[in-house]
């Protein structure tokens, strides 16, 4: 299992975690949504489930559920600012297509 976090994404995640010291880490998952099928979810993890994979990436606990695990293996998570907009950006080698707005992706 391999997930990478760029320094910009790491800084953003640390800022969120600093405001929520009781969080179990950062949850990285996918859910069915958007025009292409799956969308990414990055949120604070309230708890770690018995089947969750917990990764220590640059000192950040990243929690991934088993259903998402196969779809996000190898993903690089970045954080970018463009004008007034700021968001996480995902470079996922498993994605075979993305919608035009970049909110969702497909896999084979």
């Amino acid at each position: 299992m391999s997930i990478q976090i760029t320094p910009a994404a790491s800084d953003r995640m640390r800022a969120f975690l600093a405001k929520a010291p009781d969080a179990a880490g950062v949850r990285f998952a996918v859910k069915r949504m958007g025009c292409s099928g799956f969308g990414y979810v990055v949120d604070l993890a309230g708890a770690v489930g018995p089947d969750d994979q917990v990764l220590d990436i640059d000192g950040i606990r990243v929690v991934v559920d088993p259903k998402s695990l196969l779809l996000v293996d190898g993903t690089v998570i970045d954080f970018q600012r463009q004008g007034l907009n700021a968001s996480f950006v995902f470079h996922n080698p498993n994605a075979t297509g993305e919608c035009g707005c970049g909110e969702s992706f497909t896999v084979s």
Side-chain angles (χ1 to χ4, degrees):
M1 176 66 191
S2 169
I3 294 175
Q4 297 176 37
I5 301 173
T6 67
S10 178
D11 290 346
R12 184 67 169 184
M13 290 178 186
R14 286 181 203 286
F16 281 127
L17 289 167
K19 294 178 183 177
D22 293 337
V26 173
R27 182 164 294 280
F28 180 43
V30 296
K31 67 177 184 177
R32 288 209 171 270
M33 65 186 275
C35 49
S36 289
F38 294 101
Y40 299 102
V41 177
V42 177
D43 202 356
L44 294 173
V48 176
D51 295 329
D52 286 342
Q53 177 83 29
V54 180
L55 307 167
D56 183 331
I57 305 171
D58 192 27
I60 298 171
R61 288 184 71 190
V62 178
V63 181
V64 184
D65 67 86
K67 290 181 181 178
S68 299
L69 201 57
L70 294 175
L71 298 174
V72 299
D73 187 24
T75 298
V76 176
I77 305 171
D78 193 9
F79 184 78
Q80 296 180 352
R81 292 186 183 277
Q82 294 180 345
L84 297 176
N85 297 321
S87 63
F88 286 104
V89 177
F90 307 94
H91 305 283
N92 184 346
N94 303 301
T96 56
E98 293 181 342
C99 67
C101 63
E103 289 290 319
S104 60
F105 68 100
T106 58
V107 292
S108 297

